[in-house]
Amino acid sequence: MLRALADHQVEWVLSGSAVLAVYGAPLSPNDLDVVPALDPVNLRRVAALLTSLDAVPAHVPEWEQSLSVSQCRQWRPDPPTEQQLDHLFVTRLGMLDIPPRLTGTHDQLLPTATRLDLAGVPVWVCDPDEVLRRLPQPPRAKDRDRATAYAMLRARLRTDRRPVGLTRFIPTTDQSGTGRH
């Protein structure tokens, strides 16, 4: 997914639980949270990426703004507007969440983001405090389940702000010689 974003020249910042994993939280993210720059040229790049990945919005009935199954099947990335692209997507490479504002905008997150190499791709990673600060109140079920991991990460970040979970994003080679992540 990171390579596909780079190949499509999408300007974005990593947010969500993947950021917490990069900074050492013992979490397995369910999706990749991509906060794109909201200019029209970049949103067209995001739309092209989604098309190339055969992306379809995920049907999540418990979400207030969830699309119906029929709407998910009929969805297309045009016009490439913030509202049209603001979904959790099922893609051939895994789950991709595009929250243009929910976790902070690209312009809000970029000034404190760090450029890191993840799986051979340079990625802007938002400050982990931004993710922790924006956890919804009251907490969602998944956040209640992750409360211990959040507390451990908060404590470590007070004295050590290094991204210690990078090994999760370094490609390894299996016996066939093909890379896996």
Side-chain angles (χ1 to χ4, degrees):
M1 188 76 73
L2 299 174
R3 173 60 41 211
L5 284 154
D7 289 348
H8 281 83
Q9 300 177 345
V10 173
E11 294 176 40
W12 66 286
V13 176
L14 180 65
S15 185
S17 58
V19 170
L20 304 181
V22 164
Y23 279 88
L27 301 174
S28 295
N30 297 322
D31 57 32
L32 190 69
D33 291 282
V34 169
V35 180
L38 297 176
D39 62 274
V41 171
N42 196 57
L43 292 179
R44 281 193 293 278
R45 291 179 188 138
V46 172
L49 167 74
L50 293 171
T51 298
S52 77
L53 296 177
D54 302 319
V56 177
H59 175 64
V60 187
E62 58 271 13
W63 288 2
E64 283 182 30
Q65 303 297 324
S66 182
L67 300 177
S68 68
V69 172
S70 175
Q71 289 171 316
C72 289
R73 289 182 180 145
Q74 294 171 6
W75 178 90
R76 299 295 176 266
D78 292 313
T81 62
E82 176 184 338
Q83 294 76 21
Q84 186 71 2
L85 303 176
D86 183 3
H87 294 289
L88 171 64
F89 293 95
V90 178
T91 80
R92 60 183 170 77
L93 296 178
M95 301 296 284
L96 175 65
D97 196 0
I98 301 181
R101 294 188 184 274
L102 181 66
T103 62
T105 66
H106 178 270
D107 290 346
Q108 290 168 330
L109 297 176
L110 190 59
T112 58
T114 302
R115 188 93 159 161
L116 298 174
D117 186 80
L118 302 181
V121 178
V123 174
W124 284 107
V125 178
C126 83
D127 185 304
D129 290 326
E130 289 287 345
V131 177
L132 293 167
R133 185 172 62 81
R134 295 173 191 272
L135 292 172
Q137 293 299 325
R140 301 167 293 187
K142 73 177 184 180
D143 295 319
R144 286 190 301 275
D145 293 344
R146 295 173 171 178
T148 301
Y150 296 160
M152 289 171 42
L153 182 59
R154 280 185 178 105
R156 190 182 73 72
L157 289 172
R158 284 194 287 273
T159 59
D160 182 1
R161 299 197 57 82
R162 292 175 298 136
V164 297
L166 291 176
T167 55
R168 294 175 164 195
F169 298 92
I170 296 174
T172 57
T173 305
D174 61 23
Q175 294 182 2
S176 67
T178 60
R180 69 179 195 277
H181 302 260

